[in-house]
Structure formats: structure tokens, C-alpha cells
């Protein structure tokens, strides 16, 4: 099972250990594309600070994020699962998983990123600021930049198993499962049951809990239909919509009564 996660806007500080080693990251087929984004992002941020703030879409209060990006090659790196914070990752609680669940998470979880393309939670990276919606001056829109390398690398990473897609819409631009892979992909929405509305904070927290429950249970559904049964067994209320045609993903709605 491959679980696709969005990153978090907020991130923990970089570590104090060894700096980034791009060649050590998972999915080596993305190395060249990563290097292109890294080079241009660092060049942008060491140059005109006001231009960098505009390109990255940062408010005045987040100007310090530019300085963080200038040090990407020298800052200490730490596991991506420690760098990404926020509602989803708090609910997932990687650090508090038992040993077996952590091992499953290291194999299954893939975090999408405007800078790295996608990384596993065990990959060591520095803290950074660069969303998938950014358009870098030389590379253009990052979603389009990642599309070609992802088209080769992600199907290989998915293998023959289930793909559970929990990404936010901006990160879907980098890779949309197609063909046979799409048929074993399940995208999840979290809805407030009484209103049938998506609530952002609630959505993220519930997705984090879903992933945690799957990692703790050791459940390995072979496809979307089996995932529906596994989630129901774990106490989630799920409505499933099988694909309307070939090359389309399943859509699962997870319904929750209380917003918390």
C-alpha cells in the first residue's frame, strides 16, 4: 500500500546533524528534477528578497522563510516525518507509533513537496518553504515541472498495490494516477455528516487519524474495495463510489459527526 500525503506549510526547524544529501533521498528517479528546483530556489532567495517573497507568496511576517531557503545546502537535515508538522501530522503522531507501525509507515507513506517532488518520512531533509503552487522564474509552475518525472517514478513506487490518495488538490497537479494504477487508487474526502460539507481543519485531522489507524492495525488492503472494509472495521463510517469507467479512481467519503 502506498499512501500519498500533502506536506505542511509550517515545518519544524532543521536539525543540527549532517546537511542534505540529495542522492540519498528515496525515489532516485526524481534526483535531477529535485536538483533543478533546489538550485533555482536557493538562487532566488539569495538574490532579491522582495522578489523571492512575491514568488513564494509569503506575507511580510513570513519574510524569515526566505533566509531559511538560502541555507538549504548547509542546514542540518532530519527525517521528513519530523520536519512536517500541522494538523494532519499531529493527528498521525508518527513519533508515538510502536516499532512495527513505524516500520509500516516508513514503507507506505509518501509526502508530496514542491521542492522535493515526493519523499518518504524517513528521508532526511532540511526545513524549507516552497509550495507546489509556486512558479519559479526559470522553471515555471512546479506542478508542471514534476509531472514528467513523476509519471515514471510513481507507478514504479506504487507497484501492484493499493494507492491511498490523501493529498490536497494543489499536489494532485504533480501526479494523477492513470490507467491500471488509477483503478486501484482511492481518493478520500472527509465530510461533516449532518451537513455533507468539507471542513478544512477537520478534514486534515481525520485523514491523520485514518493513516494512524491503518499503520497501527497492520491492515494491508489489496484494493479500494478492501480498503473500505478495513476502514469500517477500524470504526470509520465510509461511503464508496466505484469509478465510472476505466482509468478512474475510487472516491471514498469518510463521514464524521463531530468537528474536533
Amino acid at each position: 500500500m502506498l499512501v500519498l500525503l500533502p506536506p505542511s506549510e509550517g515545518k519544524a526547524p532543521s536539525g543540527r546533524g549532517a546537511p542534505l544529501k540529495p542522492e540519498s533521498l528515496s525515489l532516485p528517479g526524481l534526483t535531477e528534477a529535485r536538483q533543478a528546483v533546489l538550485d533555482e530556489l536557493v538562487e532566488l532567495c539569495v538574490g532579491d528578497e522582495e522578489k523571492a517573497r512575491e514568488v513564494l507568496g509569503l506575507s511580510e511576517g513570513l519574510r524569515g522563510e526566505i533566509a531559511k531557503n538560502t541555507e538549504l545546502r548547509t542546514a542540518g537535515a532530519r527525517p521528513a516525518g519530523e520536519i512536517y508538522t500541522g494538523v494532519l501530522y499531529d493527528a498521525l503522531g508518527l513519533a508515538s507509533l510502536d516499532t512495527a507501525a513505524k516500520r509500516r509507515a516508513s514503507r507506505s507513506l509518501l509526502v508530496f513537496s514542491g521542492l522535493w517532488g515526493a519523499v518518504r518520512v524517513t528521508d532526511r531533509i532540511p526545513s524549507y518553504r516552497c509550495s507546489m503552487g509556486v512558479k519559479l522564474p526559470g522553471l515555471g509552475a512546479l506542478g508542471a515541472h514534476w509531472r514528467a518525472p513523476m509519471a515514471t517514478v510513481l507507478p514504479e513506487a506504487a507497484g501492484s498495490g493499493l494507492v491511498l490518495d490523501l493529498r490536497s488538490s494543489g499536489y494532485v497537479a504533480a501526479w494523477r494516477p492513470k490507467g491500471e494504477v488509477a483503478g486501484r487508487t482511492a481518493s478520500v474526502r472527509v465530510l461533516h455528516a449532518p451537513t455533507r460539507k468539507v471542513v478544512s481543519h477537520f478534514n486534515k485531522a481525520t485523514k491523520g487519524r485514518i493513516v494512524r489507524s491503518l499503520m497501527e492495525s497492520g491492515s494491508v488492503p489489496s484494493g479500494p474495495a478492501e480498503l473500505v472494509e478495513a476502514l469500517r472495521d477500524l470504526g470509520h463510517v465510509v461511503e464508496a463510489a466505484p469509478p465510472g469507467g476505466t482509468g478512474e479512481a475510487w472516491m471514498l467519503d469518510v463521514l464524521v459527526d463531530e468537528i474536533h
Side-chain angles (χ1 to χ4, degrees), residues 178-208:
K178 296 181 180 180
E180 180 269 332
V181 179
R184 48 187 166 85
T185 296
S187 295
V188 172
R189 298 186 304 177
V190 180
L191 304 181
H192 182 217
T195 64
R196 281 303 202 273
K197 291 182 178 179
V198 174
V199 182
S200 179
H201 176 98
F202 184 45
N203 174 54
K204 294 175 183 178
T206 303
K207 286 180 177 179

Side-chain angles (χ1 to χ4, degrees), residues 4 28 31 34 36 81 141 150 166 169 177 182 189 198 211-212 215 234 249 258:
L4 311 182
T31 299
R34 286 171 177 149
M150 289 281 193
L166 301 177
S169 59
R189 298 186 304 177
V198 174
V211 178
R212 183 180 180 91
M215 296 301 105
L234 290 168
E258 298 181 2

Side-chain angles (χ1 to χ4, degrees), residues 128-159:
Y128 67 97
R129 188 69 175 233
C130 185
S131 72
M132 191 65 79
V134 164
K135 294 182 180 180
L136 291 175
L139 293 178
L142 290 178
H145 170 76
W146 287 112
R147 210 166 289 147
M150 289 281 193
T152 299
V153 172
L154 265 292
E156 292 177 355

Side-chain angles (χ1 to χ4, degrees), residues 37-57 66 69-70 129-130 134-138:
V37 180
L38 179 62
D39 288 346
E40 185 160 348
L41 182 61
V42 171
E43 182 179 354
L44 171 70
C45 291
V46 299
D48 185 332
E49 186 175 284
E50 196 57 37
K51 180 180 179 181
R53 188 169 74 87
E54 180 181 343
V55 169
L56 296 176
I66 299 169
N69 284 347
T70 67
R129 188 69 175 233
C130 185
V134 164
K135 294 182 180 180
L136 291 175

Side-chain angles (χ1 to χ4, degrees), residues 5-153:
L5 297 175
S8 57
E9 286 294 328
K11 298 174 183 68
S14 296
R16 295 183 178 180
L20 170 73
K21 294 181 179 179
E23 68 280 2
S24 72
L25 298 179
S26 300
L27 310 179
L30 299 179
T31 299
E32 184 177 345
R34 286 171 177 149
Q35 193 62 58
V37 180
L38 179 62
D39 288 346
E40 185 160 348
L41 182 61
V42 171
E43 182 179 354
L44 171 70
C45 291
V46 299
D48 185 332
E49 186 175 284
E50 196 57 37
K51 180 180 179 181
R53 188 169 74 87
E54 180 181 343
V55 169
L56 296 176
L58 301 177
S59 66
E60 182 63 36
L62 292 173
R63 187 180 288 272
E65 298 290 277
I66 299 169
K68 179 191 295 185
N69 284 347
T70 67
E71 300 172 350
L72 286 171
R73 293 193 183 94
T74 57
R78 57 197 293 196
E82 298 177 11
I83 289 289
Y84 294 115
T85 59
V87 175
L88 188 155
Y89 291 91
D90 286 347
L92 170 53
L94 282 168
S96 62
L97 291 174
D98 63 32
T99 300
K102 284 180 179 176
R103 191 158 45 242
R104 286 189 283 271
S106 70
R107 292 194 304 263
S108 302
L109 307 188
L110 204 60
V111 184
F112 272 61
S113 162
L115 173 53
W116 313 116
V119 292
R120 298 196 183 276
V121 292
T122 50
D123 284 331
R124 298 182 65 84
I125 59 173
S127 187
Y128 67 97
R129 188 69 175 233
C130 185
S131 72
M132 191 65 79
V134 164
K135 294 182 180 180
L136 291 175
L139 293 178
L142 290 178
H145 170 76
W146 287 112
R147 210 166 289 147
M150 289 281 193
T152 299
V153 172

